[in-house]
Amino acid sequence: MPELKNGLTYAQSGVDIDAGEALVDAIKPLAKATRRPGAEASLGGFGALFDLKAAGYDDPLIVTTTDGVGTKLRIAIETHRHDTVGIDLVAMCVNDLLAQGAEPLMFLDYYATSKLEVDTARRVVAGIAEGCKRAGCALVGGETAEMPGMYEGDDYDLAGFSVGAVNRDKVLPRLDDQREGDVIIGLASSGPHSNGYSLIRKVVEVSGLGWAADAPFAKDLSLAQALLEPTKIYVKPVLPLMKAGLIKGAAHITGGGLIENPDRAVREGLTAQFDFDAWELPPVFKWLAETGNIERREMQRTFNCGVGFVLYVSPRNVDAVLAALLNAGEDAFVCGQLAAK
């Protein structure tokens, strides 16, 4: 190609290749810290390899999931609190893997913005790496897209992609094994997780509170800090119970709440019947319901209402499963049963 004087550059159009390279250099140590058997978690190639045999699988099925953080990101962007949304991103994907009985193995992220701010992006990716460590999976790559004209100002968006594996005989749900009277064990959430934030932001608007105001439902936290509490990752306490064959099914309580999600892992003819008096509605949900004048069913079909993950267990295994979860530091409790429709 001929050399042209005063020619346009990619930087002049708003895309800074040097910033992208600086970000890759900044996050390489973060990815390296997530190494696990089967994955070296090195960045820079065109794809990532995983050795299932090294991870201990002899008859594996691959499971994949993808998700985002939703409008929870608006709070992070408006308050310049970027350190935990990466944990949310990982959690939303790996908890879905877990519901199939799968172990999270690899994670990739997609970060899109108008102008790449290296420090902001590094903080987001540091959260992603932390989420991967909590889930036991390797951060093996991702994509950073600088797209002026598609995004404005400091806005950015996130998407996550996770790959897991499960041996064929451990796939969940075990629909043929489910029986009327099987027990539902709930695992407490850490808050709204990453669902319902368009409604949450509307409630905050109605309340008249600013993000820096004291949270009415959480001591010593601002409203932004309390509502940015990251999504809980359930992999490490729950996966061993699944591998031991103690779980007949599981559901990650996300969009659709306790109304729509649980029956996705229940066989035809049965339904997840909750005892909503079995646990106390956490303060954040009480505040949302009261401030927004939200009806009970609307709460239950929008939010997790304090239950982030549920397990379906034979009555004879309930004590063992509860003991294991409590010993792992989880807040777990019986909250219903499978009943005939």
Side-chain angles (χ1 to χ4, degrees):
M1 294 180 64
E3 289 292 335
L4 300 177
K5 293 182 178 180
N6 301 318
L8 289 173
T9 66
Y10 210 4
Q12 286 173 319
S13 70
V15 178
D16 189 344
I17 295 175
D18 291 337
E21 291 176 349
L23 176 61
V24 171
D25 288 340
I27 64 178
K28 278 182 178 179
L30 301 174
K32 186 176 180 180
T34 68
R35 284 180 175 175
R36 53 149 296 148
E40 287 303 305
S42 58
L43 300 182
F46 289 98
L49 301 177
F50 194 95
D51 185 347
L52 286 168
K53 185 175 289 186
Y57 288 89
D58 50 32
D59 187 21
L61 295 175
I62 294 296
V63 186
T64 61
T65 61
T66 183
D67 211 334
V69 181
T71 60
K72 189 173 187 176
L73 282 180
R74 276 260 56 93
I75 305 175
I77 292 167
E78 291 175 11
T79 63
H80 306 289
R81 294 180 176 275
H82 309 288
D83 301 286
T84 59
V85 288
I87 300 174
D88 289 297
L89 186 67
V90 175
M92 295 302 288
C93 293
V94 299
N95 286 340
D96 279 355
L97 288 179
L98 185 65
Q100 301 290 148
E103 176 186 9
L105 303 176
M106 295 189 288
F107 191 86
L108 299 97
D109 68 277
Y110 175 78
Y111 179 99
T113 187
S114 172
K115 178 176 175 55
L116 182 59
E117 297 291 341
V118 174
D119 182 63
T120 297
R122 186 202 63 78
R123 290 166 64 189
V124 171
V125 176
I128 294 171
E130 174 60 28
C132 286
K133 286 190 280 188
R134 294 184 186 187
C137 65
L139 176 58
V140 296
E143 173 70 9
T144 301
E146 199 171 20
M147 299 191 291
M150 287 290 291
Y151 298 90
E152 297 295 333
D154 295 331
D155 285 358
Y156 62 86
D157 199 8
L158 294 174
F161 311 87
S162 54
V163 179
V166 55
N167 275 328
R168 197 176 304 269
D169 62 345
K170 299 298 183 186
V171 174
L172 293 179
R174 295 185 351 233
L175 298 179
D176 291 343
D177 290 345
Q178 293 179 354
R179 301 287 184 270
E180 185 177 354
D182 282 343
V183 175
I184 304 175
I185 293 178
L187 285 85
S189 68
S190 56
H193 284 181
S194 298
N195 295 105
Y197 272 80
S198 293
L199 179 54
I200 289 172
R201 289 166 48 243
K202 189 67 177 178
V203 171
V204 171
E205 180 183 327
V206 167
S207 76
L209 295 174
W211 295 124
D214 291 341
F217 52 85
K219 186 179 180 181
D220 298 329
L221 293 177
S222 70
L223 189 57
Q225 287 174 305
L227 291 175
L228 285 172
E229 180 68 28
T231 306
K232 193 168 181 57
I233 294 174
Y234 298 98
V235 174
K236 291 185 177 179
V238 171
L239 190 61
L241 300 172
M242 293 177 169
K243 289 184 175 181
L246 297 174
I247 309 301
K248 294 186 178 186
H252 181 201
I253 309 304
T254 54
L258 290 167
I259 301 297
E260 297 179 9
N261 283 280
D263 278 359
R264 292 167 65 183
V266 176
R267 74 170 174 83
E268 190 67 30
L270 295 178
T271 186
Q273 186 177 80
F274 285 92
D275 174 8
F276 287 100
D277 294 324
W279 74 97
E280 185 175 353
L281 192 67
V284 59
F285 297 108
K286 289 181 181 178
W287 180 78
L288 289 168
E290 292 168 2
T291 306
N293 194 29
I294 304 171
E295 294 181 354
R296 181 173 180 176
R297 182 172 174 81
E298 186 69 11
M299 289 291 297
Q300 293 169 354
R301 69 190 295 265
T302 304
F303 302 113
N304 64 59
C305 293
V307 180
F309 204 83
V310 297
L311 306 172
Y312 306 133
V313 180
S314 170
R316 68 175 180 273
N317 292 326
V318 168
D319 289 344
V321 170
L322 280 175
L325 292 171
L326 294 172
N327 286 338
E330 292 298 312
D331 181 3
F333 42 87
V334 171
C335 58
Q337 64 178 354
L338 298 188
K341 279 188 176 179

